[in-house]
Amino acid sequence: MSFRAPKGTDDVLPPASHTWRRLLLAWEDWSARYGYDLVLTPLFEATEVFARGVGEGTEVVEKQMYTFEDKGGRSVTLRPEGTASVVRAFLEAGAGGILKGAYSGPMFRYERPQAGRRRQFYQVGVEYLGSRAAAADAEVVELGYRYLVAAGVPGLSVELNSIGDRQCRPAYVRKLGTYLESRRDVLCDDSLRRLETNPMRVLDCKVCAPKLVEAPSPADHLCAPCAAHHEEVLTTLTELEVPYEEAPRLVRGLDYYERTAFEYVATDLGAAQDAVGGGGRYDGLAELLGGKRVPGVGFALGLDRIVLALGVEKEPNPLDLYIVVAGDRRKEAVRLASDLRRSGLRVDLDVEGRSVKAQFRAADRRGAAGALVVGDEWADGRVVAKDLTSGDQEVISLEEVQAWVRRP
RNA sequence: GUGACCGUAGCUCAGUUUGGUUAGAGCGCCGGGUUGUGGUCCCGGAGGUCGCGGGUUCGAAGCCCGUCGGUCACCCCA
């Protein structure tokens, strides 16, 4: 029996998990502030949901899905992303009106692990379903930005583009194809392959892009409605004071995107995978799944990459009190801890019967703000209260504990 | 799927050059110094199939072969 977590998966233990807890709590806060309700969907779906939703030709679907047959002979797949599931759930519920949904949890892709890329990774995200308004795009982009700023991601930048829709994109792709054919000699092998499957992805190629500065840009070939939509997204973001950079080369790897496409990049993250989030509009996705036409826009942020961008943080452990048991006062100490916990304080204590010295050491390691000693003073209804930062201590009555904790 | 590098204590590593007695250090952990006081200091202790398997040898952590795992990059993406 090996105790190693499966390849490409990570255990998150303290103290690293303090950062995760903070990020998850902040996510609940920020998504709720913008009016997004919690949406829970299964971690696995019928394989078809992703095959059709994400796109048959995409790398994710072709090579990266955890697909297996269940005992009923159904082909199911561990979700490689969140959007298709949420849209499927919305369709199942009737797809009426507007749904602003927020989710968080693990996603699964079978890949070779590297920095910022795991087989099981965590995302938080939102989907704004049922609206075609540019204001919805702007709101979504803003929320992701505000959250990442609050999380403390350094070197953050928002990159934005419009890749057109089913009206204008075919003509553009033809034009791009003609151009790329003329530059065949400078394209790498991968780009030559993409020229056949998805020409827009060639623009994203790190190797070829520098040689293709003259390539027609999607944003210059938008139809009038797409151009107007894009313009409104940009002006709204400016009004909302969200800094962004126009990224004419930004295309997305999943088939369902239309019009707005964006990424959040942690520019000073050294790793190759420096996009901490991405998203866009996907007005055609619901139809791909076999439902009616439901417009939508959303994003997903990679928590693992956010943690990576934050560096090795020493997050404070928010313990208000550590209770030290002296002499034969175990029962009283346990009861006191319970009372204080019920009153709302974060409290812990030793249950191993260790020495007072060991208990103080534990209090210090845990980062407790203060320690209460339950000992002989208990007979008078009092405890020793010690400030673990200053080292000052005094004897106080039990009634004074709450006030002592709130001392300046 | 492709490539490069790396596997010795919980962690970071030394030891491999030139195979040779009981495999080391720092940090961390536990205990003691202080029978009721942490963070500094001093002392002590626990903890190792040297990734695994085979081969060469009188003798392998070290050399050879294989295998598994890890890391980073490509690809792709959050």
Side-chain angles (χ1 to χ4, degrees):
Chain A
M1 176 66 193
S2 136
F3 294 112
R4 209 191 304 272
K7 187 181 181 75
T9 67
D10 294 307
D11 302 310
V12 184
L13 301 172
S17 60
H18 299 161
T19 303
W20 284 75
R21 178 183 262 178
R22 174 174 72 78
L23 291 174
L24 257 8
L25 289 172
W27 174 248
E28 292 309 318
D29 180 26
W30 280 93
S31 58
R33 284 198 218 184
Y34 281 69
Y36 291 80
D37 291 310
L38 180 63
V39 170
L40 302 175
T41 64
L43 295 196
F44 61 89
E45 296 274 357
T47 299
E48 204 182 11
V49 171
F50 302 117
R52 293 172 63 171
V54 176
E56 296 280 3
T58 62
E59 189 89 1
V60 168
V61 168
E62 280 182 351
K63 308 203 305 211
Q64 299 180 344
M65 295 206 305
Y66 270 97
T67 297
F68 57 96
E69 195 170 281
D70 71 11
K71 292 185 179 185
R74 293 169 284 258
S75 178
V76 295
T77 295
L78 264 29
R79 63 181 185 189
E81 56 108 47
T83 302
S85 293
V86 174
V87 172
R88 192 231 82 222
F90 188 55
L91 288 170
E92 181 170 339
I98 281 178
L99 171 68
K100 294 175 67 173
Y103 62 87
S104 65
M107 307 293 165
F108 308 85
R109 290 181 198 172
Y110 189 89
E111 324 177 71
R112 288 281 287 272
Q114 69 183 75
R117 197 174 69 183
R118 318 263 71 196
R119 289 184 172 178
Q120 175 173 329
F121 58 102
Y122 287 79
Q123 289 187 337
V124 300
V126 295
E127 312 297 347
Y128 195 142
L129 299 177
S131 172
R132 296 177 56 80
D137 302 48
E139 179 184 287
V140 164
V141 173
E142 188 204 0
L143 168 57
Y145 173 74
R146 300 282 174 229
Y147 172 72
L148 290 168
V149 168
V153 174
L156 182 64
S157 102
V158 181
E159 303 192 354
L160 200 75
N161 194 20
S162 175
I163 57 174
D165 64 8
R166 55 180 61 184
Q167 302 304 319
C168 52
R169 190 154 56 189
Y172 164 70
V173 170
R174 275 195 300 277
K175 182 171 178 181
L176 176 65
T178 304
Y179 168 80
L180 292 176
E181 286 292 345
S182 74
R183 304 301 310 275
R184 240 189 143 76
D185 50 312
V186 302
L187 298 181
C188 67
D189 290 345
D190 286 322
S191 287
L192 286 172
R193 186 169 46 78
R194 292 191 200 103
L195 182 52
E196 310 301 328
T197 57
N198 189 352
M200 284 180 65
R201 295 211 50 75
V202 176
L203 295 178
D204 227 9
C205 177
K206 294 185 186 74
V207 184
C208 302
K211 306 170 194 161
L212 303 172
V213 287
E214 303 296 324
S217 158
D220 293 334
H221 296 77
L222 301 178
C223 57
C226 279
H229 184 92
H230 188 49
E231 191 55 36
E232 191 180 343
V233 172
L234 297 185
T235 57
T236 307
L237 286 174
T238 301
E239 284 164 16
L240 295 174
E241 299 168 54
V242 175
Y244 62 84
E245 290 177 39
E246 291 192 67
R249 295 309 185 83
L250 176 65
V251 299
R252 313 244 61 225
L254 278 32
D255 282 357
Y256 53 60
Y257 287 110
E258 285 184 18
R259 293 192 167 176
T260 307
F262 59 96
E263 267 182 16
Y264 303 100
V265 179
T267 49
D268 48 5
L269 209 178
Q273 317 297 332
D274 62 355
V276 295
R281 177 163 282 282
Y282 46 83
D283 294 347
L285 173 56
E287 277 177 311
L288 286 176
L289 293 177
K292 60 183 180 184
R293 188 165 173 84
V294 176
V297 56
F299 66 69
L301 309 176
L303 279 188
D304 307 73
R305 289 186 184 177
I306 293 172
V307 171
L308 211 56
L310 293 176
V312 209
E313 285 188 24
K314 288 284 184 197
E315 297 270 339
N317 186 328
L319 211 51
D320 298 310
L321 289 171
Y322 196 92
I323 295 181
V324 173
V325 188
D328 192 24
R329 301 288 187 185
R330 177 143 316 278
K331 279 190 165 175
E332 293 88 334
V334 169
R335 175 65 204 214
L336 175 61
S338 174
D339 289 342
L340 294 171
R341 286 162 168 169
R342 284 187 255 178
S343 80
L345 295 176
R346 297 167 192 240
V347 179
D348 209 355
L349 78 170
D350 169 70
V351 296
E352 302 295 326
R354 302 200 297 164
S355 69
V356 169
K357 177 196 181 93
Q359 293 180 70
F360 267 97
R361 195 160 48 228
D364 187 56
R365 275 206 321 275
R366 295 286 301 278
L372 297 183
V373 181
V374 175
D376 295 337
E377 303 85 353
W378 187 265
D380 306 323
R382 303 198 294 173
V383 292
V384 172
K386 179 167 184 174
D387 183 314
L388 289 175
T389 304
S390 67
D392 299 336
Q393 68 176 47
E394 55 187 314
V395 181
I396 63 174
S397 70
L398 288 174
E399 292 71 38
E400 294 171 312
V401 169
Q402 294 287 346
W404 184 82
V405 169
R406 289 180 187 72
R407 73 198 178 285

